[in-house]
Amino acid sequence: PEGCAVFQCRGCRAVLGDSLHLCAQEPRLGVLVCFKVTNGVSWEDSLAIGLEGFPLGCAYYSLCCQSCGWIVGFILYSATRHLAHLRGFFCLFKDSILCYLLKKQITIEATNMNFPDVTLER
């Protein structure tokens, strides 16, 4: 399909996931929300608590690239009402990843990609 992409770490280009497991975009947070990621993604053992900004009042695990240690996203453990629909999903920061487009065989910034509008809020 035209829009199939592989998500790569901006730091080392390790493969983190793909658009087949993409379930939503959250433009206000700048993340791609995925059902599944590769073994190249790990998460920290301890929960972080948001004290300011977007994660204010949320508990989350940071997602890291296993190859280079770059922070590539988060998994919400507990969240405020307006972010509750993201709990348990892999949220990849668009500014921390690159997209390799399979059909065109090119790599572009994830921030320049627009995937079909799907939302988990409903």
Side-chain angles (χ1 to χ4, degrees):
E2 187 70 33
C4 284
V6 173
F7 306 140
Q8 298 176 306
C9 173
R10 176 181 290 285
C12 68
R13 298 206 177 205
V15 175
L16 307 174
D18 60 52
S19 60
L20 296 176
H21 295 104
L22 178 70
C23 57
Q25 291 185 89
E26 285 295 330
R28 61 191 163 164
L29 299 179
V31 298
L32 297 176
V33 184
C34 298
F35 289 114
K36 187 177 174 181
V37 292
T38 68
N39 291 338
V41 178
S42 62
W43 50 91
E44 297 182 1
D45 292 334
S46 59
L47 280 170
I49 306 296
L51 301 176
E52 61 184 349
F54 117 75
L56 179 65
C58 299
Y60 62 95
Y61 295 99
S62 292
L63 296 175
C64 302
C65 173
Q66 228 173 334
S67 296
C68 70
W70 192 281
I71 301 290
V72 295
F74 61 89
I75 299 174
L76 284 177
Y77 179 77
S78 68
T80 57
R81 178 193 285 158
H82 72 283
L83 294 175
H85 61 284
L86 297 177
R87 277 192 313 238
F89 290 102
F90 298 94
C91 299
L92 300 175
F93 296 126
K94 286 179 90 172
D95 61 358
S96 294
I97 61 173
L98 301 170
C99 293
Y100 178 78
L101 303 179
L102 297 176
K103 187 166 186 170
K104 295 182 181 180
Q105 298 182 348
I106 59 170
T107 301
I108 64 169
E109 303 280 333
T111 53
N112 295 333
M113 279 295 294
N114 283 315
F115 292 95
D117 286 333
V118 179
T119 182
L120 297 171
E121 289 186 60
R122 294 182 209 141

